[in-house]
Amino acid sequence: MKTVVALGGEGIGVEVVDATCALLAAAGFPLRVLTPPHGEAAQRAHGTPVPDETKRLCGQADGILFGAAGGPASVAVITYLRWQQDAYANVRPIKYYEGAASPLADPRGIDFVMVRENMEGLYPAREGDLAELARAMPELRDRIGRRVGEYGEGRFAVKVVSRAGTERIARFACALARRRRARGRPGRITCVTKSNVLTRSDGFFQEVVEGVVRQHPDLAYEHSHVDDAARRLVRFPQAVDVVLCMNLYGDILSDLAAEAAGGLGIAPSGCFGDRWAYFESIHGSAPDIAGQGIANPTATILSAAMMLEHMGLAAEAERLEAAVARVYRERRHLPRDQGGTAGTKDFCAAVLKAL
Ligand code: ATP
């Protein structure tokens, strides 16, 4: 028996996590699911959005499933799960399930993974006033020779690219590409930067990634500037395998890629550190549809499948994903964002039946 901590977060996050946990229980998987206080309710009852007891349970759990963040109390939960745990690799599988509502003419065969560096780049934000920067670095010039002091009033943000941070995300992406290659995928890393403009920061990321990939001669490699990558992910989404992105680029491109494969309602993710992982849909709390019982739980169910695989329950993970795929293929019980009429619980009931 394995232990899972389920944290709904806010808005539809609570609905899709509850429905997913009920599905996992009804499926008879060997799991004990705990739902400790967190977010706004914990703030009211315990004076903090992530009580120590909740942290203790997360620390001991075999798997952690999160719903969605919205306001500050649920963002504090993400801050704990992601940044305070140094969960540096954000993994977002992008896969087309036959029957899903992709806007592309032919989405068949889309099956790749976005790996987003989670701890550096422009996030978490390091910002300030231009006047402070001008005082600290009076000689700093842009590409056309202007000093910071010449801009007048304004703000700046610092983009950080460290060798250690880049090497570890590159190693992570290579390990993932190798595992996919063993399952018949191409085993190719597409590194996404804007190194033609940001030659020192993005250029460094690219150079360090290339050094790491060279140590994996069984893997193929290509580099793509972020604007070109956006175009290619829409035009040739079947041609990529593991797309390794700097933080901000990965944030944007993974929403674009998710939409191409069928929408936010079906896009799962996992965040991995060296000794830590948690899983969540990539969508937010969707205040526009919260409380109506109509949110698509697929993204959370597929995140749970990733969690099961990570916990050593690969057979259960495969069965769950296959059941989801079957419901999409049959197109009889799809949620509204996929062109159907099924509510959150109806969809889960259909997945249970397919199991
Ligand atoms: P937040 O500020 O919490 O990120 P948001 O509304 O800005 O919330 P999302 O929650 O990602 O962003 O929602 C974007 C759009 O996608 C909304 O119209 C929402 O209803 C829709 N959406 C997101 N997730 C789902 C889902 N699981 N099922 C159906 N529609 C969804």
Side-chain angles (χ1 to χ4, degrees):
M1 189 66 95
K2 306 250 182 186
T3 303
V4 168
V5 168
L7 307 170
E10 199 172 317
I12 63 165
V14 178
E15 300 166 42
V16 292
V17 164
D18 283 353
T20 300
C21 291
L23 170 63
L24 296 177
F29 293 162
L31 300 172
R32 185 170 70 114
V33 179
L34 307 177
T35 54
H38 65 283
E40 252 184 67
Q43 181 71 53
R44 279 196 303 274
H46 304 275
T48 167
V50 198
D52 285 346
E53 177 62 3
T54 301
K55 290 182 182 170
R56 192 183 65 78
L57 292 173
C58 287
Q60 291 176 350
D62 299 295
I64 302 171
L65 187 64
F66 180 72
S74 54
V75 168
V77 181
I78 292 273
T79 300
Y80 165 71
L81 291 172
R82 187 182 292 183
W83 292 302
Q84 290 177 359
Q85 303 304 323
D86 198 20
Y88 61 87
N90 187 349
V91 175
R92 299 180 165 192
I94 305 291
K95 188 166 173 179
Y96 172 69
Y97 294 91
E98 189 191 329
S102 164
L104 302 185
D106 188 5
R108 286 172 303 172
I110 294 178
D111 180 0
F112 62 93
V113 183
M114 310 277 312
V115 177
R116 167 187 169 194
E117 199 293 313
N118 233 359
M119 298 298 296
E120 299 192 346
L122 280 167
Y123 306 178
R126 304 159 201 89
E127 300 174 302
D129 282 316
L130 276 182
E132 296 170 57
L133 184 61
R135 275 196 299 278
M137 303 180 74
E139 288 308 315
L140 182 66
R141 291 171 192 267
D142 63 22
R143 280 172 16 133
I144 54 175
R146 282 176 303 185
R147 287 194 184 84
V148 177
E150 294 172 42
Y151 290 104
E153 188 197 346
R155 309 271 162 82
F156 68 92
V158 174
K159 184 170 194 172
V160 170
V161 186
S162 76
R163 180 179 294 282
T166 307
E167 279 178 352
R168 69 179 180 174
I169 193 69
R171 282 196 301 269
F172 185 97
C174 287
L176 177 63
R178 272 191 170 160
R179 286 199 301 278
R180 284 172 61 83
R181 190 166 181 271
R183 295 204 302 258
R185 302 296 305 163
R188 185 171 55 249
I189 304 279
T190 303
C191 174
V192 176
T193 73
K194 188 67 183 169
S195 60
N196 52 349
V197 175
L198 298 167
T199 52
R200 297 205 64 201
S201 50
D202 287 28
F204 184 67
F205 186 91
Q206 181 182 348
E207 182 190 310
V208 173
V209 168
E210 284 173 7
V212 172
V213 179
R214 267 200 300 275
Q215 295 162 20
H216 300 73
D218 50 327
L219 297 179
Y221 173 83
E222 62 184 356
H223 172 267
S224 189
H225 292 301
V226 62
D227 43 347
D228 187 45
R231 182 187 68 79
R232 289 174 56 200
L233 289 180
V234 171
R235 179 64 66 180
F236 311 111
Q238 290 89 346
V240 285
D241 185 20
V242 173
V243 184
L244 170 55
C245 298
M246 302 179 80
N247 203 337
L248 175 63
Y249 308 144
D251 191 12
I252 298 168
L253 290 184
S254 58
D255 267 34
L256 176 145
E259 207 55 51
L264 288 182
I266 63 173
S269 82
C271 281
F272 297 80
D274 284 332
R275 279 174 298 282
W276 179 265
Y278 82 95
F279 300 84
E280 62 173 329
S281 59
I282 78 170
H283 64 71
S285 59
D288 55 336
I289 58 165
Q292 299 175 37
I294 58 171
N296 185 349
T298 306
T300 303
I301 297 171
L302 293 175
S303 301
M306 290 174 74
M307 176 185 75
L308 292 173
E309 186 180 358
H310 180 72
M311 291 163 61
L313 298 174
E316 285 81 355
E318 259 176 50
R319 279 183 59 211
L320 188 57
E321 191 197 351
V324 168
R326 181 161 168 198
V327 174
Y328 274 84
R329 214 165 38 241
E330 293 176 349
R331 286 202 64 83
R332 281 205 304 272
H333 300 282
L334 294 187
R336 293 172 196 220
D337 64 317
Q338 298 297 313
T341 55
T344 308
K345 289 181 181 162
D346 306 324
F347 178 82
C348 289
V351 174
L352 182 63
K353 198 155 171 242
L355 270 167

